[in-house]
Amino acid sequence: PLAEQQYPHTKYMLAEYYKEHSCNDSDSAKEALKWYIDADADNDKDATLALANIYGDERYNYECIIDENDIEEDYQKAYKYAKKGEARYTASFLAEKIAENYLQDKNYPKAIEWYEKTIADKDDSDRGEYYLALGKIYDTGPDKIQDKTKAFEYYKEAGRRFRGIPTYIQVD
């Protein structure tokens, strides 16, 4: 077939076809993933970003082929693909969502790790909500996480960088 003759975008289109038919069919989902990975290996940027979404935001649509017990590895893959695809917005967005998921699960060290990845992204480093989130974690998180000095530094940086209305982030 044409897709196997080194036409990466054809591989991507084939992956899209299988994805459309993968709702309740794990074989189609597996084929979609296989073709996305093949197209990505041939540097098809659409496939690369599709993989970022599959392992990130859409991971629950692919539970039949993605090990749901290895969420951290999937998040790492999603972030890697987004960075590879030079989609800083996508990478930053994924990192933020991953951080929020960890925060919701009260996994504060992982939330901090992923918020810091978001801050490290040059295109989003001027957005203060990530600094605010870290400030709140260090300010009001559990005792073993609390660090008032770090909280103050993150709050100060958030205030310096804010452009718009702050995002409310609750830390229990």
Side-chain angles (χ1 to χ4, degrees):
L2 192 61
E4 293 177 355
Q5 295 176 7
Q6 299 307 318
Y7 294 102
H9 203 67
T10 305
K11 292 176 182 181
Y12 167 77
M13 296 304 292
L14 191 54
E16 286 287 294
Y17 169 81
Y18 280 112
K19 180 182 174 187
E20 289 298 316
H21 295 86
S22 67
C23 282
N24 294 313
D25 179 8
S26 65
D27 289 338
S28 289
K30 287 176 186 175
E31 279 296 306
L33 188 60
K34 172 188 156 281
W35 285 109
Y36 281 130
I37 291 169
D38 278 0
D40 169 68
D42 290 336
N43 295 315
D44 185 286
K45 292 209 184 281
D46 291 328
T48 302
L49 292 178
L51 286 165
N53 287 323
I54 286 168
Y55 286 108
D57 267 359
E58 296 179 16
R59 74 180 306 280
Y60 296 105
N61 294 337
Y62 285 83
E63 285 179 335
C64 56
I65 56 172
I66 294 174
D67 182 2
E68 70 179 69
N69 295 322
D70 210 352
I71 293 171
E72 176 62 22
E73 184 178 326
D74 289 347
Y75 286 159
Q76 294 287 352
K77 286 179 185 176
Y79 192 70
K80 176 192 86 169
Y81 283 120
K83 285 293 204 183
K84 178 183 176 187
E86 297 176 6
R88 284 195 168 85
Y89 173 79
T90 302
S92 167
F93 175 77
L94 283 170
E96 178 184 9
K97 293 297 170 201
I98 293 166
E100 289 171 359
N101 288 342
Y102 279 123
L103 189 58
Q104 196 171 35
D105 292 342
K106 298 185 184 335
N107 186 337
Y108 298 102
K110 285 292 185 183
I112 290 167
E113 174 188 334
W114 283 95
Y115 275 123
E116 287 175 348
K117 283 184 183 189
T118 304
I119 286 172
D121 192 329
K122 293 178 184 175
D123 286 352
D124 263 352
S125 64
D126 64 330
R127 294 182 53 202
E129 62 256 25
Y130 311 128
Y131 292 93
L132 178 63
L134 284 163
K136 284 187 174 249
I137 290 170
Y138 284 116
D139 186 22
T140 63
D143 288 341
K144 65 181 180 179
I145 297 292
Q146 280 190 18
D147 183 330
K148 299 299 182 182
T149 303
K150 282 185 181 179
F152 176 75
E153 291 302 317
Y154 279 116
Y155 282 147
K156 187 169 76 173
E157 192 63 25
R160 193 176 79 72
R161 293 174 180 266
F162 251 115
R163 298 179 183 192
I165 301 170
T167 302
Y168 180 73
I169 298 169
Q170 182 173 345
V171 177
D172 296 325

